[in-house]
Amino acid sequence: MENKNILFVCTGNSARSIIAETIIKNKYHNRFNAFSAGSNPTGKVNEDVKNYLISKNFNLLNCRSKNFDEFTNNKIKIDYVITVCNNANNEICPVWPKKDEIIHWDIEDPVVELKKANNIDKKKEILDTVFNKINKKIQMFVNEK
């Protein structure tokens, strides 16, 4: 059976959607192909997120911040679009072409809190919380499909 394609979308495509894409690519690559994009991408993966995922021995190969326009050309059939923030949910859902299934997960943006965090332990705590929330939602999603 062919792997299903999942596109994770958030506004900046620098943290939450990157975490979700990386979890799928590293843990569920035998069933799903994962991609991520942003409605207004920052152009780079957040350094704290990148370092956190590397510390978990996750491969970040081909993870980059990019606009979801790259996926509207229908070269890759997207089976599921999962928005991981309210802004992206409101921006993308009405205009996504040939949507098979759009799922919304309201996950708080860690970037603002990471900027305020004044030490590595606080940053790890913030990222642990977001990672665990996304990971749990992915496990539930994978078990349903």
Coordinates of all heavy atoms in Angstrom, one line a residue, residues 28-92:
Y28 N 7.2 7.3 11.7 CA 6.1 6.7 10.9 C 6.3 6.7 9.4 O 5.3 6.7 8.6 CB 4.8 7.4 11.3 CG 4.4 7.4 12.7 CD1 4.6 8.6 13.5 CD2 4.0 6.3 13.4 CE1 4.4 8.6 14.9 CE2 3.7 6.3 14.7 CZ 3.9 7.4 15.5 OH 3.6 7.4 16.8
H29 N 7.6 6.8 9.0 CA 7.9 6.9 7.6 C 7.5 5.7 6.8 O 7.4 5.8 5.6 CB 9.4 7.2 7.4 CG 10.2 6.1 8.1 ND1 10.6 5.0 7.4 CD2 10.8 6.1 9.3 CE1 11.4 4.3 8.3 NE2 11.5 4.9 9.4
N30 N 7.2 4.6 7.5 CA 6.7 3.4 6.8 C 5.3 3.5 6.3 O 4.8 2.7 5.5 CB 7.0 2.2 7.6 CG 6.2 2.2 9.0 OD1 6.0 3.3 9.5 ND2 5.8 1.1 9.5
R31 N 4.5 4.5 6.9 CA 3.1 4.6 6.6 C 2.7 6.0 5.9 O 1.7 6.1 5.3 CB 2.2 4.4 7.8 CG 2.3 3.0 8.3 CD 1.4 2.8 9.5 NE 0.0 3.2 9.2 CZ -0.9 3.5 10.2 NH1 -0.5 3.4 11.5 NH2 -2.1 3.9 9.9
F32 N 3.5 7.0 6.3 CA 3.2 8.4 5.8 C 4.4 9.1 5.3 O 5.5 8.9 5.8 CB 2.6 9.2 7.0 CG 1.4 8.6 7.6 CD1 1.4 7.8 8.7 CD2 0.1 8.9 7.0 CE1 0.3 7.3 9.3 CE2 -1.0 8.4 7.5 CZ -1.0 7.5 8.7
N33 N 4.2 10.0 4.3 CA 5.2 10.9 3.9 C 4.8 12.3 4.5 O 3.6 12.7 4.4 CB 5.2 11.1 2.4 CG 5.6 9.8 1.7 OD1 6.5 9.0 2.2 ND2 4.8 9.4 0.7
A34 N 5.7 13.0 5.1 CA 5.4 14.2 5.8 C 6.0 15.4 5.1 O 7.2 15.3 4.7 CB 5.8 14.2 7.3
F35 N 5.3 16.5 5.1 CA 5.8 17.8 4.6 C 5.3 18.9 5.6 O 4.3 18.6 6.3 CB 5.2 18.0 3.2 CG 5.4 16.9 2.2 CD1 4.5 15.9 2.1 CD2 6.6 16.8 1.5 CE1 4.7 14.8 1.2 CE2 6.8 15.8 0.6 CZ 5.9 14.8 0.5
S36 N 5.9 20.0 5.5 CA 5.4 21.1 6.3 C 5.5 22.4 5.5 O 6.4 22.5 4.6 CB 6.1 21.3 7.6 OG 7.5 21.7 7.4
A37 N 4.7 23.4 5.8 CA 4.8 24.7 5.1 C 4.1 25.7 5.9 O 3.4 25.4 6.9 CB 4.1 24.5 3.7
G38 N 4.2 27.0 5.5 CA 3.6 28.1 6.3 C 2.9 29.0 5.3 O 3.2 29.1 4.2
S39 N 1.9 29.7 5.9 CA 1.1 30.7 5.1 C 2.0 31.9 5.0 O 1.8 32.7 4.1 CB -0.2 30.9 5.8 OG 0.0 31.3 7.1
N40 N 2.9 32.2 6.0 CA 3.8 33.3 5.9 C 5.1 32.9 6.6 O 5.4 33.2 7.7 CB 3.1 34.5 6.7 CG 3.9 35.7 6.6 OD1 4.7 35.9 5.7 ND2 3.7 36.6 7.6
P41 N 5.8 32.0 5.8 CA 7.0 31.4 6.4 C 8.1 32.3 6.8 O 8.3 33.4 6.1 CB 7.5 30.4 5.3 CG 6.9 31.0 4.1 CD 5.6 31.7 4.4
T42 N 8.8 32.0 7.9 CA 9.9 32.8 8.3 C 11.2 32.6 7.4 O 12.1 33.5 7.4 CB 10.3 32.5 9.8 OG1 10.8 31.1 9.8 CG2 9.2 32.6 10.7
G43 N 11.2 31.5 6.7 CA 12.4 31.3 5.9 C 13.5 30.4 6.5 O 14.4 30.0 5.9
K44 N 13.3 30.2 7.8 CA 14.3 29.3 8.5 C 13.6 28.6 9.7 O 12.7 29.1 10.3 CB 15.5 30.1 9.0 CG 15.2 31.2 10.0 CD 16.5 32.0 10.3 CE 16.3 33.1 11.2 NZ 15.7 32.9 12.5
V45 N 14.2 27.4 10.0 CA 13.7 26.6 11.1 C 14.3 27.3 12.4 O 15.4 27.7 12.4 CB 14.2 25.2 11.0 CG1 13.8 24.4 12.3 CG2 13.6 24.5 9.8
N46 N 13.4 27.5 13.4 CA 13.9 28.1 14.6 C 15.1 27.3 15.2 O 15.0 26.0 15.3 CB 12.7 28.0 15.6 CG 13.0 28.6 17.0 OD1 13.6 27.9 17.8 ND2 12.7 29.8 17.2
E47 N 16.1 28.0 15.6 CA 17.3 27.3 16.1 C 17.1 26.4 17.3 O 17.7 25.4 17.4 CB 18.4 28.3 16.4 CG 19.1 28.8 15.1 CD 19.9 27.7 14.3 OE1 20.6 26.9 14.9 OE2 19.7 27.7 13.1
D48 N 16.3 26.9 18.2 CA 16.0 26.2 19.5 C 15.3 24.9 19.1 O 15.6 23.8 19.6 CB 15.2 27.0 20.5 CG 16.0 28.1 21.0 OD1 17.1 28.0 21.4 OD2 15.4 29.2 21.2
V49 N 14.3 24.9 18.2 CA 13.6 23.8 17.7 C 14.5 22.8 17.0 O 14.5 21.6 17.3 CB 12.4 24.2 16.8 CG1 11.8 22.9 16.1 CG2 11.4 24.9 17.6
K50 N 15.4 23.3 16.1 CA 16.3 22.5 15.4 C 17.3 21.8 16.4 O 17.4 20.5 16.3 CB 17.2 23.3 14.5 CG 18.1 22.5 13.6 CD 19.1 23.4 12.8 CE 18.4 24.4 11.9 NZ 19.4 25.2 11.1
N51 N 17.8 22.5 17.3 CA 18.7 21.9 18.3 C 18.0 20.8 19.2 O 18.6 19.8 19.5 CB 19.4 22.9 19.2 CG 20.3 23.8 18.4 OD1 20.9 23.4 17.4 ND2 20.5 25.0 18.8
Y52 N 16.8 21.1 19.6 CA 16.0 20.2 20.4 C 15.8 18.9 19.6 O 16.0 17.8 20.2 CB 14.6 20.9 20.7 CG 13.7 20.0 21.5 CD1 13.8 19.9 22.9 CD2 12.7 19.3 20.9 CE1 13.0 19.0 23.6 CE2 11.8 18.4 21.6 CZ 12.0 18.3 23.0 OH 11.1 17.5 23.7
L53 N 15.3 19.0 18.4 CA 15.1 17.8 17.6 C 16.4 17.0 17.3 O 16.3 15.8 17.4 CB 14.4 18.2 16.3 CG 13.0 18.7 16.4 CD1 12.5 19.3 15.1 CD2 12.0 17.6 17.0
I54 N 17.4 17.7 17.1 CA 18.7 17.0 16.9 C 19.1 16.3 18.2 O 19.6 15.1 18.2 CB 19.8 18.0 16.5 CG1 19.5 18.4 15.0 CG2 21.2 17.4 16.6 CD1 20.4 19.6 14.6
S55 N 18.9 16.9 19.4 CA 19.2 16.3 20.7 C 18.4 15.0 20.9 O 18.8 14.1 21.7 CB 19.0 17.3 21.8 OG 17.6 17.4 22.1
K56 N 17.2 14.9 20.2 CA 16.4 13.7 20.3 C 16.8 12.6 19.2 O 16.1 11.7 19.0 CB 14.9 14.0 20.2 CG 14.4 14.9 21.3 CD 12.9 15.2 21.2 CE 12.0 14.3 21.9 NZ 12.3 13.9 23.3
N57 N 17.9 12.9 18.6 CA 18.4 12.1 17.5 C 17.5 12.0 16.3 O 17.4 11.0 15.6 CB 18.8 10.7 18.0 CG 19.9 10.7 19.0 OD1 20.9 11.4 18.7 ND2 19.8 10.0 20.1
F58 N 16.7 13.0 16.0 CA 15.8 13.1 14.9 C 16.6 13.6 13.7 O 17.4 14.6 13.8 CB 14.6 14.0 15.2 CG 13.5 13.3 15.9 CD1 13.7 12.2 16.7 CD2 12.2 13.8 15.8 CE1 12.7 11.6 17.4 CE2 11.2 13.2 16.5 CZ 11.4 12.1 17.2
N59 N 16.4 13.0 12.5 CA 17.0 13.5 11.3 C 16.1 14.6 10.8 O 14.9 14.5 10.6 CB 17.0 12.3 10.3 CG 17.7 12.7 9.0 OD1 17.8 13.8 8.6 ND2 18.1 11.7 8.3
L60 N 16.8 15.8 10.5 CA 16.0 16.9 10.0 C 16.3 17.1 8.5 O 16.1 18.2 7.9 CB 16.5 18.2 10.7 CG 15.7 18.5 12.0 CD1 16.1 17.5 13.1 CD2 15.8 19.9 12.4
L61 N 16.7 16.1 7.8 CA 17.0 16.1 6.4 C 15.8 16.7 5.6 O 14.7 16.3 5.8 CB 17.3 14.7 5.9 CG 17.8 14.7 4.4 CD1 19.2 15.3 4.3 CD2 17.9 13.2 4.0
N62 N 16.1 17.7 4.8 CA 15.1 18.3 3.9 C 14.0 19.2 4.7 O 13.0 19.6 4.1 CB 14.3 17.3 3.0 CG 15.3 16.6 2.1 OD1 16.2 17.3 1.6 ND2 15.1 15.4 1.9
C63 N 14.2 19.4 6.0 CA 13.3 20.2 6.7 C 13.7 21.7 6.5 O 14.9 22.0 6.8 CB 13.3 19.9 8.2 SG 12.4 18.4 8.6
R64 N 12.8 22.5 6.0 CA 13.1 23.9 5.8 C 11.8 24.6 5.9 O 10.7 24.1 5.6 CB 13.8 24.1 4.5 CG 13.0 23.7 3.3 CD 13.8 23.9 2.0 NE 13.0 23.4 0.8 CZ 12.2 24.2 0.2 NH1 12.0 25.4 0.5 NH2 11.5 23.6 -0.9
S65 N 11.9 25.9 6.2 CA 10.7 26.8 6.2 C 10.3 27.2 4.8 O 11.2 27.7 4.1 CB 11.0 28.0 7.1 OG 9.9 28.9 7.1
K66 N 9.1 26.9 4.4 CA 8.7 27.2 3.0 C 7.2 27.6 3.0 O 6.4 27.2 3.9 CB 9.0 26.1 2.1 CG 8.3 24.8 2.5 CD 9.0 23.6 1.9 CE 8.8 22.3 2.7 NZ 9.1 22.3 4.1
N67 N 6.8 28.2 1.9 CA 5.4 28.6 1.7 C 4.5 27.5 1.2 O 5.0 26.6 0.4 CB 5.3 29.8 0.7 CG 4.0 30.5 0.7 OD1 3.0 29.9 0.3 ND2 4.0 31.7 1.3
F68 N 3.3 27.4 1.7 CA 2.4 26.3 1.3 C 2.1 26.4 -0.2 O 1.6 25.4 -0.8 CB 1.2 26.1 2.2 CG 0.2 27.3 2.1 CD1 -0.6 27.5 1.0 CD2 0.1 28.1 3.3 CE1 -1.5 28.5 1.0 CE2 -0.9 29.1 3.3 CZ -1.6 29.3 2.2
D69 N 2.4 27.5 -0.9 CA 2.2 27.6 -2.3 C 2.9 26.5 -3.1 O 2.5 26.1 -4.1 CB 2.6 28.9 -2.8 CG 1.7 30.1 -2.4 OD1 0.6 29.8 -1.9 OD2 2.1 31.2 -2.5
E70 N 4.0 26.0 -2.5 CA 4.8 24.9 -3.1 C 4.0 23.7 -3.3 O 4.3 22.8 -4.1 CB 6.0 24.6 -2.3 CG 7.1 25.6 -2.3 CD 8.4 25.2 -1.7 OE1 8.7 24.0 -1.6 OE2 9.2 26.1 -1.3
F71 N 2.9 23.5 -2.5 CA 2.1 22.3 -2.5 C 0.7 22.5 -3.3 O 0.0 21.6 -3.3 CB 1.8 21.8 -1.1 CG 3.1 21.4 -0.4 CD1 3.8 22.4 0.4 CD2 3.7 20.2 -0.6 CE1 5.0 22.0 1.0 CE2 4.9 19.8 0.0 CZ 5.5 20.8 0.8
T72 N 0.5 23.7 -3.8 CA -0.8 23.9 -4.5 C -0.7 23.6 -6.0 O -1.7 23.7 -6.7 CB -1.3 25.4 -4.3 OG1 -0.3 26.2 -4.8 CG2 -1.5 25.7 -2.8
N73 N 0.4 23.1 -6.4 CA 0.6 22.8 -7.9 C 0.1 21.4 -8.2 O 0.2 20.9 -9.3 CB 2.0 23.0 -8.3 CG 3.0 22.1 -7.5 OD1 2.6 21.1 -6.9 ND2 4.3 22.4 -7.6
N74 N -0.3 20.6 -7.2 CA -0.8 19.2 -7.3 C 0.2 18.2 -7.8 O -0.2 17.2 -8.3 CB -2.1 19.2 -8.2 CG -3.2 20.0 -7.6 OD1 -3.4 20.0 -6.4 ND2 -4.0 20.7 -8.4
K75 N 1.5 18.6 -7.8 CA 2.5 17.6 -8.1 C 2.6 16.5 -7.1 O 2.9 15.3 -7.4 CB 3.9 18.2 -8.3 CG 4.0 19.0 -9.6 CD 5.4 19.6 -9.7 CE 5.4 20.4 -11.0 NZ 6.7 21.2 -11.1
I76 N 2.3 16.8 -5.8 CA 2.2 15.9 -4.8 C 0.8 15.9 -4.3 O 0.2 16.9 -3.9 CB 3.1 16.3 -3.6 CG1 4.6 16.3 -4.0 CG2 2.9 15.3 -2.4 CD1 5.5 16.9 -3.0
K77 N 0.1 14.7 -4.3 CA -1.3 14.6 -3.8 C -1.2 14.6 -2.3 O -0.6 13.7 -1.7 CB -1.9 13.3 -4.4 CG -3.4 13.2 -3.9 CD -4.0 11.9 -4.2 CE -5.4 11.7 -3.7 NZ -5.5 11.7 -2.3
I78 N -1.8 15.6 -1.7 CA -1.8 15.7 -0.3 C -3.1 15.0 0.2 O -4.2 15.4 -0.2 CB -1.8 17.2 0.2 CG1 -0.5 17.8 -0.3 CG2 -1.9 17.3 1.7 CD1 0.8 17.3 0.3
D79 N -2.9 14.0 1.0 CA -4.1 13.3 1.6 C -4.7 13.9 2.8 O -5.9 13.9 3.0 CB -3.7 11.8 1.9 CG -3.2 11.1 0.7 OD1 -4.0 10.8 -0.2 OD2 -2.0 10.8 0.6
Y80 N -3.8 14.5 3.6 CA -4.3 15.2 4.8 C -3.5 16.5 5.0 O -2.3 16.5 4.9 CB -4.0 14.3 6.1 CG -4.6 12.9 6.0 CD1 -3.8 11.8 5.7 CD2 -6.0 12.7 6.2 CE1 -4.3 10.6 5.6 CE2 -6.5 11.4 6.1 CZ -5.7 10.4 5.8 OH -6.2 9.1 5.7
V81 N -4.3 17.5 5.3 CA -3.7 18.8 5.7 C -4.0 19.0 7.2 O -5.2 18.9 7.6 CB -4.3 20.0 4.9 CG1 -3.7 21.3 5.4 CG2 -4.0 19.9 3.4
I82 N -3.0 19.2 8.0 CA -3.2 19.4 9.4 C -2.6 20.7 9.8 O -1.4 21.0 9.6 CB -2.5 18.2 10.2 CG1 -3.1 16.9 9.9 CG2 -2.6 18.5 11.8 CD1 -2.4 15.7 10.6
T83 N -3.5 21.6 10.2 CA -3.1 22.9 10.6 C -2.8 22.8 12.1 O -3.5 22.2 12.8 CB -4.1 24.0 10.3 OG1 -5.3 23.7 11.0 CG2 -4.4 24.1 8.8
V84 N -1.7 23.4 12.5 CA -1.3 23.3 13.9 C -1.3 24.7 14.6 O -0.8 24.8 15.7 CB 0.1 22.7 14.1 CG1 0.1 21.2 13.6 CG2 1.2 23.5 13.3
C85 N -2.0 25.7 14.0 CA -2.3 26.9 14.7 C -3.5 27.5 14.2 O -3.9 27.3 13.1 CB -1.1 27.9 14.6 SG -0.8 28.6 13.0
N86 N -4.1 28.4 15.0 CA -5.4 29.0 14.6 C -5.3 29.9 13.4 O -6.1 29.9 12.5 CB -6.0 29.8 15.7 CG -6.6 28.9 16.8 OD1 -7.1 27.8 16.4 ND2 -6.6 29.3 18.0
N87 N -4.2 30.7 13.3 CA -4.0 31.5 12.1 C -4.0 30.8 10.8 O -4.7 31.1 9.9 CB -2.7 32.4 12.3 CG -2.8 33.4 13.3 OD1 -3.9 33.8 13.8 ND2 -1.6 33.9 13.7
A88 N -3.2 29.7 10.8 CA -3.1 28.9 9.5 C -4.4 28.3 9.2 O -4.9 28.2 8.1 CB -2.0 27.9 9.6
N89 N -5.1 27.8 10.3 CA -6.4 27.2 10.1 C -7.4 28.2 9.4 O -8.1 27.8 8.4 CB -7.0 26.7 11.4 CG -8.3 26.0 11.2 OD1 -8.4 25.1 10.4 ND2 -9.3 26.3 12.1
N90 N -7.4 29.4 9.8 CA -8.3 30.4 9.3 C -7.9 30.8 7.9 O -8.7 31.2 7.0 CB -8.4 31.6 10.2 CG -9.1 31.3 11.5 OD1 -9.9 30.4 11.5 ND2 -8.7 32.0 12.5
E91 N -6.6 30.8 7.6 CA -6.0 31.2 6.3 C -6.2 30.2 5.2 O -6.5 30.5 4.1 CB -4.6 31.6 6.4 CG -4.3 32.9 7.3 CD -2.9 33.0 7.7 OE1 -2.1 32.2 7.4 OE2 -2.6 34.0 8.4
I92 N -5.9 28.9 5.6 CA -5.7 27.9 4.5 C -7.0 27.2 4.2 O -7.2 26.9 3.0 CB -4.6 27.0 4.9 CG1 -4.3 26.1 3.7 CG2 -4.9 26.1 6.1 CD1 -3.1 25.2 3.9

